[in-house]
Amino acid sequence: MENSSKSGWIVVLAGVCINLTMGFLYAWSVVRGGIPEAWGWSNADKALPFSVICIAITIAMIPAGRLQDKIGPKIVSTVGGILIGLGFLVCYFSGSSLAGFVVGFGVLGGIGMGASYASATPPAVKWFPPAKTGMIAGIVVAGFGLSPVIIAPLTSKLLALFQTTIIDSSTGNTIVEKGVSMTMLVYAIAFPIIIVALSQMLTNPPVSNAAKVAAAATSLKATDKKDFAWKEMMSTSQFYLLWFMYFAGSAAGLMFISVAQELGKKTLGEYAFFAVVVLACGNAGGRVLAGIVSDIIGRQWTIFCSCVLQSLVVFCMYLATSGAAWSSNAFIMMTLVALIGANFGSNLALFPAVTKDYFGVKNFGLNYGILFTAWGTAGLVMPWINGFVKDVGMPQLSYLIVISMLMTAAVFTFLSRSIANRKTGSSTSLPSGAGA
């Protein structure tokens, strides 16, 4: 059993490190700032590769989840790492071509990232009993939340290292261009090597160990626990409640993180980069903390607390943007930034865990991939709504929309618990953390 535990932690460590490399998603904000003016990209052009990669990740998570359930996480994550490398290689050879970056960074990078990300958490949680599901899921996905602290400054260093100086023939002025293409080449080499190597450690537990974990899940009442196929899952009201809660929690973070960063710049001046660090640490810490707390008080109570707290934070952000006297206080604003990150990050630990609790472990990869569309939909829809209400002259409406969604999601946690408890006869029949 001790060897099994050691093997399980190796899988967890591999998952954390793979997610750390996924920070190239966040690195785009640094890359876009270094795109030379000579390339002729508009602001909309610079945003396009990032928009495409978000869509590609969301779509890829579904087949990747199914494949890792069928053939194992090692192969799927390895293919993901190779695709990521190919994507950066396409960017390198594309020069200043926007289409090349959309295909390379957006499509290939997104599919590869979806494959590797979908393969990191499922094998890790399978090694441990249900009482530790939240903690393990939180630790694994914390790597993704913390990655900007490493990848963003590394990208900035590489852009500066490979920058070139050009003399404008028409004006004689000296122009410094960041080394975008060479940075893409470095990542094309480094990322697949790292991800492919770590992927070899992503193994499911042996049948005997898996049986012990399954037995622990039903030790109190071994009649109602089952593994849902994706069609069965989507035929339940539980799935749609969880989908909306995931959507609301993700929407709040995705919609207001950029606002928090701007407020951080106003209060920190030249040290504005510290806001990114605070946000990333809050994001990572929230994932681990939410996972641990949910193992103790239950997933739904933890989701409830996260929704209520995020509502309060969004309201404080509303007051700050309205000119509250304390909005110039760096400590208060960084606390809000950290809380936004923590509450947003908590969703990435809670919903994989609750998917395993309610729908079983056998089809966990595919089922969570489908539930993850809530995150992708929030990323697509909410920024557009935010822009629309600003265009029509009602920018404060964004805050009210988000607060309303979060409070609705908080109410839905009670409905979700009620459904789960009815299925098992009582809340104590559920795995630890799944019910009340």
Side-chain angles (χ1 to χ4, degrees), residues 34-390:
I35 293 175
E37 291 185 13
W39 288 15
W41 290 20
S42 66
N43 287 324
D45 291 339
K46 293 176 182 179
L48 188 57
F50 184 82
S51 298
V52 172
I53 196 174
C54 288
I55 298 170
I57 291 168
T58 305
I59 295 174
M61 282 280 289
I62 298 175
R66 182 179 181 85
L67 281 172
Q68 77 86 31
D69 286 333
K70 296 292 184 182
I71 65 176
K74 182 187 300 184
I75 297 175
V76 177
S77 183
T78 296
V79 172
I82 293 171
L83 287 175
I84 289 170
L86 289 175
F88 278 107
L89 202 59
V90 169
C91 292
Y92 169 70
F93 285 112
S94 295
S96 62
S97 168
L98 174 62
F101 274 77
V102 168
V103 172
F105 183 87
V107 178
L108 290 175
I111 294 173
M113 182 177 172
S116 293
Y117 185 76
S119 304
T121 304
V125 299
K126 289 176 183 178
W127 279 92
F128 297 88
K132 293 184 177 181
T133 293
M135 180 187 73
I136 297 301
I139 291 173
V140 173
V141 298
F144 192 91
L146 195 61
S147 59
V149 177
I150 300 172
I151 302 297
L154 175 62
T155 302
S156 182
K157 292 287 187 182
L158 290 172
L159 289 172
L161 176 65
F162 295 116
Q163 71 182 20
T164 56
T165 301
I166 300 174
I167 305 298
D168 190 327
S169 58
S170 60
T171 64
N173 294 331
T174 300
I175 301 174
V176 176
E177 292 189 351
K178 297 291 186 180
V180 175
S181 294
M182 286 301 298
T183 299
M184 297 296 101
L185 180 60
V186 170
Y187 285 163
I189 297 171
F191 281 158
I193 291 176
I194 295 171
I195 295 173
V196 169
L198 291 169
S199 296
Q200 309 317 302
M201 303 179 193
L202 295 179
T203 57
N204 287 318
V207 176
S208 58
N209 191 77
K212 292 177 182 178
V213 172
T218 55
S219 59
L220 294 177
K221 186 175 182 180
T223 57
D224 301 300
K225 189 70 175 173
K226 65 170 288 187
D227 290 302
F228 284 70
W230 70 272
K231 290 182 179 179
E232 292 178 297
M233 177 185 72
M234 294 187 68
S235 68
T236 66
S237 56
Q238 183 72 273
F239 169 77
Y240 295 97
L241 288 172
L242 293 174
W243 195 95
F244 179 82
M245 288 188 281
Y246 202 174
F247 175 86
S250 300
L254 292 170
M255 194 169 175
F256 287 100
I257 279 176
S258 60
V259 176
Q261 288 173 320
E262 289 301 316
L263 289 171
K265 292 178 182 178
K266 292 179 181 178
T267 57
L268 295 175
E270 62 179 306
Y271 299 102
F273 69 90
F274 188 65
V276 178
V277 176
V278 170
L279 182 67
C281 291
N283 192 345
R287 298 176 191 219
V288 178
L289 181 61
I292 294 174
V293 170
S294 73
D295 285 334
I296 299 172
I297 69 173
R299 314 285 182 234
Q300 300 295 356
W301 276 119
T302 309
I303 295 172
F304 173 83
C305 293
S306 178
C307 288
V308 172
L309 180 57
Q310 190 76 311
S311 297
L312 294 174
V313 174
V314 171
F315 180 68
C316 289
M317 296 299 292
Y318 162 77
L319 295 178
T321 55
S322 299
W326 45 263
S327 63
S328 59
N329 185 300
F331 176 78
I332 293 176
M333 295 311 301
M334 288 304 97
T335 300
L336 291 176
V337 168
L339 287 173
I340 285 177
N343 284 293
F344 171 66
S346 69
N347 294 286
L348 280 301
L350 292 170
F351 286 94
V354 83
T355 300
K356 175 175 176 281
D357 290 337
Y358 290 163
F359 304 119
V361 72
K362 181 180 179 181
N363 304 304
F364 173 50
L366 174 59
N367 289 342
Y368 180 62
I370 293 173
L371 186 64
F372 189 76
T373 59
W375 181 92
T377 304
L380 286 174
V381 174
M382 294 313 299
W384 179 85
I385 291 178
N386 191 34
F388 176 76
V389 297
K390 287 181 179 179

Side-chain angles (χ1 to χ4, degrees), residues 221 224 420-427 429:
K221 186 175 182 180
D224 301 300
N421 291 343
R422 284 202 306 270
K423 285 183 176 297
T424 57
S426 70
S427 62
S429 301

